[in-house]
Amino acid sequence: MSFANPQNLSPSELVAQYVLSLKGSSLFLPYQDYAVIDQWLANSQNLDDLLLALSDILPTYFNHNRKPSLVGIQSLVLNRLSANKMR
C-alpha cells in the first residue's frame, strides 16, 4: 500500500508502486528495475495495458523467486505487450 495519492504519480511511479505492493517485502526497487519499467512503458499502448499484463505475470513470478528482479521477466512482458498491439 502506498501513502502517495495515485492521481499525483507519474506512470512509472504508479507501476513501481504496483510492483512493490505485489512484492510485499520491499520498500524500493533496484535502479535496473526502474529502467525496465521505463522500457515497458515505452513499448505499451497505454498504462492500463501494462498493468493488465503485469497482473497476469507478476504474482506467479514473485511466488517462485526469492530475489526477483524485473529483468527476469523483461522480455516476457514485452512479448505480451507486443501481442496486445497486434490485436
Side-chain angles (χ1 to χ4, degrees):
M1 185 170 103
S2 171
F3 292 107
N5 183 351
Q7 295 176 347
N8 297 334
L9 297 176
S10 70
S12 62
E13 291 170 331
L14 193 59
V15 172
Q17 286 298 316
Y18 178 68
V19 170
L20 287 170
S21 71
L22 288 177
K23 207 170 182 181
S25 62
S26 299
L27 297 175
F28 59 90
L29 296 172
Y31 287 118
Q32 66 186 11
D33 284 356
Y34 287 102
V36 170
I37 289 171
D38 288 338
Q39 184 181 17
W40 289 343
L41 285 166
N43 287 284
S44 67
Q45 291 180 340
N46 58 52
L47 179 60
D48 291 337
D49 286 345
L50 176 56
L51 291 173
L52 183 61
L54 292 178
S55 70
D56 287 341
I57 296 168
L58 284 180
T60 304
Y61 178 68
F62 285 150
N63 286 335
H64 289 74
N65 293 291
R66 289 183 177 219
K67 295 182 180 180
S69 169
L70 298 181
V71 173
I73 57 167
Q74 182 175 11
S75 61
L76 179 62
V77 173
L78 289 173
N79 288 339
R80 176 79 56 97
L81 291 172
S82 66
N84 287 342
K85 283 182 183 179
M86 291 182 188
R87 290 183 186 176

